[in-house]
Amino acid sequence: MKWKLFTLIIATILVTVGATSNYNDGKEPGNFKNLKILPKDISRNDLDSIMEGFTVGLGVRCGFCHARKKDTTLKGLDFASDEKEEKGTAREMMQMVHTLNTTNFNWMKSTQPDTIHTIICYTCHRGMKMPTSANLMPDIKKIEDERQKQRDKK
């Protein structure tokens, strides 16, 4: 009985030491491949946060931009792959948003940073894959529709 208890304690200690020795809490830089816009030393937490922003902003899941693994015996997505056009579009949108925010919404130079809002995916997409004028500016869309009705009457 003592040997079983001793063996169990030693096994528990070994498992605990092994599990914590390589523990990365997500704050350390990840070993990500094919990052072209995001910093190469981005942490897993920061990368996950950005990707979650995309999923909320566009109302999509990871597979919208990321291709499946080519090896059909493996499950999951090939995050490094550039196979899907949507991933390239996402990179272009990231550059556009960065330019807009640094050029037009630079809150660091503002005297009232709480009144300046930055552009994010959700600003235009509102949870949809493709932004529409009806979704972006409902009041403007309403005015456009009314004007079109007036033109149709003439």
Side-chain angles (χ1 to χ4, degrees):
M1 181 69 173
K2 288 183 182 181
W3 282 105
K4 287 182 182 180
L5 181 59
F6 178 75
T7 304
L8 180 63
I9 291 171
I10 294 298
T12 303
I13 290 171
L14 290 174
V15 168
T16 303
V17 168
T20 59
S21 65
N22 291 324
Y23 180 72
N24 180 350
D25 63 0
K27 295 178 183 172
E28 297 292 321
N31 187 21
F32 306 109
K33 298 175 184 167
N34 199 22
L35 293 177
K36 294 182 179 177
I37 304 297
L38 298 171
K40 307 279 187 238
D41 62 347
I42 191 168
S43 71
R44 175 164 297 285
N45 285 351
D46 288 346
L47 182 62
D48 287 348
S49 177
I50 290 168
M51 295 299 131
E52 286 171 15
F54 292 161
T55 62
V56 171
L58 278 70
V60 297
R61 298 189 66 175
C62 303
F64 181 71
C65 292
H66 296 287
R68 289 211 148 307
K69 291 182 179 177
K70 293 238 185 253
D71 184 347
T72 57
T73 63
L74 300 174
K75 292 183 178 180
L77 300 172
D78 181 359
F79 294 108
S81 170
D82 286 335
E83 182 180 328
K84 293 192 79 175
E85 183 180 334
E86 290 84 356
K87 186 172 182 182
T89 301
R91 286 179 173 142
E92 291 172 12
M93 294 290 106
M94 289 173 71
Q95 287 176 320
M96 177 191 72
V97 166
H98 174 71
T99 300
L100 285 169
N101 284 329
T102 56
T103 304
N104 303 97
F105 301 99
N106 191 345
W107 60 269
M108 300 274 297
K109 295 179 182 176
S110 173
T111 59
Q112 298 177 323
D114 58 327
T115 62
I116 308 282
H117 299 285
T118 58
I119 305 295
I120 59 173
C121 300
Y122 193 82
T123 304
C124 296
H125 284 269
R126 307 273 192 212
M128 298 185 323
K129 292 177 192 174
M130 298 295 294
T132 66
S133 61
N135 190 39
L136 290 172
M137 303 169 277
D139 293 334
I140 292 175
K141 178 65 174 157
K142 184 178 174 183
I143 292 167
E144 287 176 353
D145 290 346
E146 287 173 8
R147 286 184 180 165
Q148 185 61 45
K149 285 179 187 178
Q150 289 174 356
R151 282 189 289 258
D152 291 344
K153 287 180 183 179
K154 292 180 182 179

